[in-house]
Amino acid sequence: MKFVNVEVSYEGGTVLGDRVLLDLKSAHVTLPPRLASLMEVLNRCDQLKSFVADCGGTRYLVKHETGRGYFVDFSAPCRRGFAAGAMHLFSSSPAQRRLNGRFAHMLSAMALIGACFEVATMHGFSWHSLLEPLCLGVSSIALFVVGHRCFAARCL
C-alpha cells in the first residue's frame, strides 16, 4: 500500500488534486471520502476528461470498473508530450507577459547603448565597422516592438 497523488480533470476546466491509497499488487485505488463525494457530484454535471495517478514520477491512467472501483493501468504510462510543454510555454499569464515586455525593453535599451558605444569608440568609419552598430540598432528596434507587443497583449 502506498500513497500517491492523483489529478482528476473535467471537460469544464475543473481539476481536482488529492492523495489516494494505491495497492501496488492489485492496482486498486482507494479514494478518500471527500474526493469520492466531489467526483460523484461533478460526474452528474460534467464529463470526466482524465484521471491520472503519479507513481514515482510516472503518470498512469486510472480506470473505473463498475462495481469494483478504480484501478491503475500500469501497462501504459501517460507521458506529457513535447507539444503540451510547448503550448504551456506560449500561453503565458498577463504577469508573465508584462515581465517579458520589461525584459525585452531592457535588452532594447542595452542594444541601443551598445550601438552608441560602438560608434563613439570607433577609430575609422567603414562599412565593416558600421555593420555591428547597425545590427545592434535594428535589434534594439525589434526588441522594443516585441516588448510593446507583450504589454499590449490581453488575456481572455
Side-chain angles (χ1 to χ4, degrees), residues 93-110:
S93 69
Q96 288 171 328
R97 279 192 218 107
R98 279 193 305 277
L99 287 174
N100 290 341
R102 288 179 184 163
F103 184 64
H105 278 167
M106 183 199 61
L107 290 177
S108 171
M110 291 296 128

Side-chain angles (χ1 to χ4, degrees), residues 51-105:
F51 189 179
V52 293
D54 186 8
C55 300
T58 307
R59 296 166 54 98
Y60 296 99
L61 288 175
V62 178
K63 296 183 179 178
H64 179 69
E65 294 182 14
T66 308
R68 292 186 59 208
Y70 292 94
F71 290 90
V72 174
D73 184 14
F74 286 116
S75 62
C78 175
R79 294 191 180 103
R80 292 184 185 183
F82 174 75
M87 290 306 294
H88 180 68
L89 200 96
F90 293 111
S91 62
S92 56
S93 69
Q96 288 171 328
R97 279 192 218 107
R98 279 193 305 277
L99 287 174
N100 290 341
R102 288 179 184 163
F103 184 64
H105 278 167

Side-chain angles (χ1 to χ4, degrees), residues 3-69:
F3 279 109
V4 295
N5 294 325
V6 293
E7 184 178 282
V8 185
S9 301
Y10 286 90
E11 293 290 332
T14 304
V15 178
L16 302 173
D18 207 344
R19 292 177 59 90
V20 298
L21 193 60
L22 171 66
D23 184 9
L24 294 173
K25 292 179 183 173
S26 66
H28 185 265
V29 175
T30 305
L31 301 177
R34 65 180 175 272
L35 181 61
S37 62
L38 277 172
M39 286 179 63
E40 185 179 313
V41 170
L42 287 171
N43 285 337
R44 279 188 254 142
C45 62
D46 205 355
Q47 181 69 32
L48 182 67
K49 183 177 176 183
S50 69
F51 189 179
V52 293
D54 186 8
C55 300
T58 307
R59 296 166 54 98
Y60 296 99
L61 288 175
V62 178
K63 296 183 179 178
H64 179 69
E65 294 182 14
T66 308
R68 292 186 59 208

